[in-house]
């Protein structure tokens, strides 16, 4: 028997209308390229988003057609997040850190009909435009520079709206947006989000036990709006009436810390690379910034080492470790402390907070090894599979990637994990980043997390390098912390070799205390930096290439 | 274009499986009729709920068939909340405070095939059973008393399960349960909840800005499980892993306060009547109970007067005023303070907290007067209309009640409200409880709230009584507070008239300071009690009957 509740579709119409009616005076703030701060309210954003929706329809956009956005985090991107889906179109965020060839591939694959581009990103667009077939280009004028021919100013587009607009009849399973994953291997793959998935994902992010996003919050998504929907924050903040503060293109630690202080920010979100920089800046000048005590820093996109969580706690800044993927919208799990762990020792608590956390409500997880699902004992490793209403069920026009889903309908994440009896997931590694030494697995990530805990180490990546006897052995690539004794030593040509050798021994001894002896890398390389992907993750494929001819002693 | 997310149905399967995997060791506690406390875990509850689902199928229950529950709040009722819907059946909670004739009407109207009854409620069941056509009666043995012939013990039912059970393929719009509203007029009407509505309602209740139900919470639903799903708490607590403590049949203030203290309860929920009793007990013996500081007390079902909110604050107990109806599952609105009010004066903050609050995410509201939707100015009155995915779209087999919904799909609540510019709803009255004096409306509820603020008043109801000149005039029926001077005076036969008259004058003067003179009742009646409905609300229809022949001086 069917129930008799209202057939109320879960769409962005409700989210934006709620902002208009319940939170019209809450601010949206953004930093311009010239570093000035500008602001308006959700009331303004509502009006302009609706104008954008109407204007796009007037410009000829039809239901389901894609509009690309090549933009930093700011007001116009917020308006695009709502205006494009509420015109019936599909918001396609473009990663401005990609190579023009990859960008053009993605734009062509998605079939973007229009794009909206920041004027400061026109130099990038110039390298892309001849490789793609985009009908109209709208330019957001942030600097006042003259626009190139054949483009339309964004405000001019908005001015075509009459204000007399009725939302189309949007169904919850309709496409709202898409985002391409830029894995380190294979072609980028497009994830197509529904209105339903995004509304549910907002609810998931507002729960007291996950990210607790609230009208009391003032949030900075450092994570770019072209990266997995900025983890949903533009939608979630609008839904719940959190003040949102966008850093624009200024993502250096000092600019961010100035922003946190000035706008009294209490929640922020980004990848670990950002937080390493922030931490160094704070450690260097502990009294310079007056931040909100207990500021929540949501860290995801890559693992946050325990040492980082500890270090921020000393400054009363709370790292909340979370895990997700473009394919999971992205909220997957959050490492809050469960009540049964509140009486655990400090060390134990840190160990749990450094895990990837407990799956969010509405996200099912399992770890699957060679012999099926493994026990939740904190030790047994298996590939993490996930399932839920905001998990992708397919990629856009990519039938060859169907293998990413199991026959019984779960998404294979590619992460190798152990799940413990409390439900915390610990990522041991990406399947492709494990080191297989003499038939046994070594977790490169566990080694990296340990290395990063040493004061002298700023970053560390461990990769598998071919080995004549063991098939593969781990090689550690280490970046020294600025100002560490070892770095000073390395700076002096005559003493550098000795200094590095001494540090290498020290690091190996530290690892030997924590891991089986055969896990400890025989060799370490000290490098100036570790190559990163456009989203700030270690690009291990490049490192492996670089060290493929490594000769073991 | 359709999105490409998983088709993941929102059902209780996820909720119960999450409790099994993520919160298996969290406790469920309940008080037995003999006052002893018993407890088990969500792991146990999962196992037994699944056994119930299997056993019900074995007993012949088919998809969509209704199973009535005539029970207090305890373990077996929790198991019924999950086991019945997860068998594919429909949980039909029966209000044990109804008259046997109403109960039998409801059971027959719903077509309950089976019922589950507490043994302590068999005397009530005996008065119902011959009026209904129920095939099987399962009895929960709480006292060990011998069972009557023709019934099956609940544990015996469970023992027929093998443990080898696969959930049926439940779709999210399938019926999960039903509950009849027992308005003071007309026949009871059945609301049929879907799995989807209930899962969304749980998410709504877990948001940081609504009720923030969390794994960190220890909750007592004083509200009975036969009353609007105990406001969803059995589902929400299970979903999020809150420890839940059920009072069983012991709802007197001392038993509840003992329970709050013993189990370290930090969240509880019930109608104002309960809290008046609790407040009196605490005021009488302020040092007797050691309660959790800041304990959240969710008050709904009727308006909580501002004086009550203030009084509890003095004991560091925080009233959270909420509004909802059986037709809204029931969460409608919650009176948390919005950030823009945190700098308002104390008096202003109390005024907002005494309103019915801001609509929950996913709940749309409007107030409609004779000339259409009224402005959100805090003054203009209109009937409250609501819309959302957990709002009823129809009653069960009651076509004559379709008028409760507007042509454009909103539910008419029957509450007359003003909505202010911050989005707070203030109920002025039920449409049928307004007093129309000389063509102008008087809010009986506003008068009641003011009266209850006087120390000498325990309860007050204001009703419309026919008047030769003004068509209707308000009459106040007042119950004196235990131990008040006025009550002492009333206790002494010779002084009672004088004491009452003096108090009446005092109360009228107090009202005259707050309201237009024509709002102030010309007469007051001092009564021993105010008749209440089975859910503890004032039964004004009965009062109106009682005073229909009132003669104005």
């Amino acid at each position: 028997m069917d129930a008799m509740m209202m057939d109320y579709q879960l769409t962005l119409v409700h989210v934006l209308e709620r902002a208009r009616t319940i939170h019209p005076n809450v601010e949206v703030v953004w930093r311009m390229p010239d570093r000035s701060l500008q602001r308006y309210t959700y009331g303004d954003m509502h009006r302009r988003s609706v104008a954008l929706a109407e204007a796009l329809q007037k410009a000829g956009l039809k239901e389901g057609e894609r509009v690309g956005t090549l933009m930093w985090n700011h007001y116009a991107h917020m308006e695009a997040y709502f205006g494009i889906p509420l015109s019936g179109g599909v918001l396609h965020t473009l990663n401005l850190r990609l190579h023009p060839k990859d960008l053009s591939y993605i734009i062509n694959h998605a079939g973007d009909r229009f794009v909206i581009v920041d004027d400061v990103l026109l130099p990038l667009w110039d390298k892309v435009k001849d490789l793609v077939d985009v009908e109209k280009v709208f330019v957001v004028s942030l600097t006042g520079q003259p626009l190139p021919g054949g483009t339309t100013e964004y405000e001019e587009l908005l001015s075509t709206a009459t204000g007399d607009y009725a939302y189309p009849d949007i169904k919850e399973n309709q496409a709202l947006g898409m985002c391409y994953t830029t894995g380190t291997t294979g072609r980028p793959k497009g994830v197509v989000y529904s209105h339903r998935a995004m509304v549910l994902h907002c609810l998931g992010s507002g729960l007291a036990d996950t990210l607790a996003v609230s009208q009391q919050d003032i949030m900075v998504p450092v994570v770019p709006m072209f990266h997995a929907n900025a983890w949903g924050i533009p939608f979630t903040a609008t839904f719940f009436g959190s003040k949102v503060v966008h850093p624009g293109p200024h993502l250096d630690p000092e600019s961010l810390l100035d922003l946190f202080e000035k706008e009294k920010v209490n929640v922020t979100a980004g990848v670990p690379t950002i937080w390493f920089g922030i931490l160094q800046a704070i450690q260097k000048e502990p009294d310079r910034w007056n931040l909100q005590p207990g500021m929540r820093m949501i860290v995801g996109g890559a693992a946050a080492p325990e040492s980082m969580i500890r270090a921020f706690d000393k400054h009363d800044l709370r790292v909340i470790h979370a895990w997700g993927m473009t394919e999971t919208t992205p909220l997957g799990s959050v490492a809050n402390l469960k009540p049964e762990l509140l009486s655990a020792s400090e060390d134990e608590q840190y160990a749990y907070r450094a895990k990837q956390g407990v799956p969010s409500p509405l996200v099912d997880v399992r770890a699957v090894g060679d012999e099926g699902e493994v026990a939740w004992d904190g030790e047994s490793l298996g590939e993490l599979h996930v399932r839920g209403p905001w998990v992708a069920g397919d990629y856009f026009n990519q039938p060859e990637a169907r293998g990413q889903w199991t026959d019984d309908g779960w998404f294979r994440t590619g992460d190798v994990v152990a799940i413990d009896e409390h439900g915390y997931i610990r990522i041991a590694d990406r399947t492709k980043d494990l080191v297989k030494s003499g038939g046994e697995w070594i977790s490169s990530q566990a080694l990296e997390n340990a290395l990063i805990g040493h004061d002298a180490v700023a970053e560390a990546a461990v990769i598998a390098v071919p080995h004549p006897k063991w098939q593969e052995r781990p090689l550690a690539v280490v970046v020294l912390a600025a100002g560490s004794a070892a770095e000073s030593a390395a700076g002096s040509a005559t003493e550098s070799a000795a200094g590095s050798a001494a540090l290498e021994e020290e690091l190996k001894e530290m690892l030997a205390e924590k891991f089986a002896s055969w896990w400890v890398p025989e060799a370490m390389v000290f490098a100036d930096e570790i190559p990163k992907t456009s989203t700030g993750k270690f690009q291990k494929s490049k490192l492996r290439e670089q060290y493929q001819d490594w000769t073991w002693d």
Side-chain angles (χ1 to χ4, degrees), chain A:
Chain A
M1 140 165 152
D2 270 354
M4 296 172 184
M5 306 309 279
M6 286 186 183
D7 172 22
Y8 186 96
Q9 297 285 297
L10 307 176
T11 74
L12 284 194
V13 173
H14 175 78
V15 175
L16 189 62
E17 285 301 306
R18 185 173 172 85
R20 176 180 70 80
T21 53
I22 309 290
H23 304 294
N25 299 318
V26 174
E27 285 183 336
V28 177
V29 183
W30 62 94
R31 206 193 264 288
M32 294 287 275
D34 70 1
R35 307 190 60 81
S36 66
L37 287 179
Q38 299 203 358
R39 61 191 70 227
Y40 66 13
T41 65
Y42 280 121
D44 299 320
M45 193 184 98
H46 165 270
R47 191 172 36 76
R48 289 172 52 90
S49 299
V50 171
L52 175 60
E54 185 191 348
L56 287 170
Q57 283 193 356
K58 279 221 161 90
L61 194 74
K62 298 273 176 301
E63 187 190 305
E65 289 185 337
R66 273 74 71 200
V67 179
T69 61
L70 192 62
M71 300 156 99
W72 292 102
N73 290 15
H74 54 53
Y75 69 106
H77 215 167
M78 289 293 280
E79 294 160 13
Y81 260 55
F82 286 90
I84 296 170
L86 291 177
S87 76
V90 180
L91 164 77
H92 178 199
T93 54
L94 298 169
N95 184 339
L96 56 86
R97 298 217 178 95
L98 292 181
H99 190 278
K101 276 204 177 133
D102 283 332
L103 264 182
S104 64
Y105 168 82
I106 286 173
I107 291 169
N108 288 327
H109 189 268
D112 294 346
R113 185 167 169 205
F114 302 159
V115 294
I116 309 177
V117 187
D118 282 352
D119 63 358
V120 294
L121 293 170
L122 283 170
L124 171 58
W125 176 248
D126 280 342
K127 293 181 194 153
V128 173
K129 67 179 184 198
D130 295 332
L131 307 172
V132 298
D133 183 24
V134 164
E135 189 183 315
K136 292 188 184 178
V137 179
F138 304 107
V139 179
V140 180
S141 185
L142 299 171
T143 64
Q145 67 185 60
L147 301 195
T151 65
T152 306
E153 222 277 77
Y154 178 74
E155 295 300 328
E156 197 185 316
L157 171 67
L158 289 202
S159 71
T160 64
T162 63
D164 179 22
Y165 181 68
Y167 296 121
D169 180 28
I170 297 171
K171 298 296 178 196
E172 64 183 29
N173 286 318
Q174 206 168 309
L176 165 153
M178 63 196 303
C179 188
Y180 278 71
T181 64
T182 48
T184 46
T185 56
R187 281 294 203 179
K189 293 180 276 287
V191 176
V192 186
Y193 305 102
S194 63
H195 281 260
R196 169 181 161 111
M198 201 56 75
V199 170
L200 291 172
H201 185 266
C202 286
L203 294 172
S205 306
L207 296 173
D209 285 334
T210 59
L211 302 177
V213 177
S214 156
Q215 60 187 345
Q216 309 293 347
D217 288 333
I218 300 175
M219 308 184 77
V220 169
V222 180
V223 51
M225 290 173 72
F226 54 76
H227 178 200
N229 318 304
W231 303 350
I233 292 172
F235 296 119
T236 312
T238 304
F239 198 177
F240 300 136
S242 324
K243 172 175 161 180
V244 67
V245 181
H246 289 293
H250 301 288
L251 303 179
D252 60 288
E254 297 207 352
S255 298
L256 290 172
L257 284 161
D258 289 347
L259 201 59
F260 298 164
E261 177 176 29
K262 181 164 186 342
E263 297 293 331
K264 300 194 191 317
V265 170
N266 75 322
V267 183
T268 168
V271 294
T273 320
I274 294 284
W275 306 118
F276 284 125
I278 298 264
L279 183 59
Q280 288 194 340
I282 292 176
Q283 285 173 335
K284 207 169 148 196
E285 297 177 273
D287 299 323
R288 177 162 163 198
W289 292 280
N290 181 18
L291 303 177
Q292 297 296 304
M295 181 173 82
R296 288 132 64 200
M297 304 161 66
I298 304 166
V299 182
E306 186 181 318
S307 55
M308 186 173 94
I309 301 174
R310 286 178 182 264
F312 273 117
D313 270 356
K314 291 199 181 106
H315 300 275
D316 199 7
L317 301 172
R318 187 165 179 92
V319 169
I320 297 177
H321 201 195
W323 170 87
M325 303 174 74
T326 300
E327 290 89 340
T328 65
T329 310
L331 178 64
S333 62
V334 184
N336 292 315
L337 283 181
K338 290 179 74 180
E340 67 254 38
L341 301 173
L342 295 179
S343 52
S345 71
E346 193 180 283
D347 284 350
E348 272 184 283
Q349 292 194 354
Y350 277 115
Y352 280 103
R353 289 179 56 198
K355 294 190 181 198
Q356 273 63 33
V358 176
S360 165
L362 292 189
V363 175
D364 292 332
V365 300
R366 68 183 184 192
V368 178
D370 292 341
E371 279 148 42
E373 198 172 340
V374 305
W376 287 24
D377 56 13
E379 298 286 336
S380 306
L381 292 179
E383 188 186 15
L384 179 65
H385 293 181
V386 297
R387 198 173 62 173
W390 60 69
V391 177
D394 203 354
Y395 292 120
F396 182 66
N397 285 351
Q398 201 98 26
E400 68 276 19
R402 277 301 310 164
Q404 204 74 27
W405 286 267
T406 66
D407 289 341
D408 61 345
W410 295 67
F411 175 71
R412 299 182 210 267
T413 64
D415 284 319
V416 178
V417 304
I419 308 178
D420 64 40
E421 71 271 27
H422 298 289
Y424 286 74
I425 300 161
R426 178 175 55 81
I427 294 188
D429 233 317
R430 294 288 298 168
T431 44
K432 55 182 176 294
D433 289 343
L434 284 168
V435 182
K436 198 155 196 178
S437 170
E440 298 287 344
W441 294 111
I442 295 173
S443 165
S444 63
Q445 199 169 313
L447 293 170
E448 289 161 7
N449 283 342
L451 286 168
I452 204 82
H454 191 286
D455 283 343
V457 176
E459 288 184 339
V462 173
I463 54 168
V465 170
H467 189 282
K469 181 167 176 190
W470 303 108
Q471 292 87 52
E472 290 182 356
R473 285 297 297 159
L475 175 70
V477 183
V478 171
V479 178
L480 295 178
S484 74
E487 202 217 25
S488 310
S492 145
T494 48
E495 293 175 28
S496 71
S500 294
L503 177 63
E504 185 172 333
E505 275 320 296
E506 196 180 320
L507 291 174
K508 284 182 186 171
E509 274 166 34
M510 182 187 76
L511 294 179
E513 280 169 24
K514 296 192 177 179
F515 302 102
S517 60
W518 57 274
W519 274 46
V520 179
E522 280 83 4
M524 292 189 185
V525 176
F526 294 92
D528 287 339
E529 62 174 347
I530 288 166
K532 298 197 183 63
T533 68
S534 61
T535 56
K537 300 185 191 185
F538 290 162
Q539 199 170 8
K540 291 203 176 174
S541 56
K542 201 157 183 180
L543 271 186
R544 278 192 290 265
E545 219 175 277
Q546 206 171 329
Y547 294 102
Q548 63 188 350
D549 300 322
W550 178 266
T551 325
W552 299 96
D553 286 339

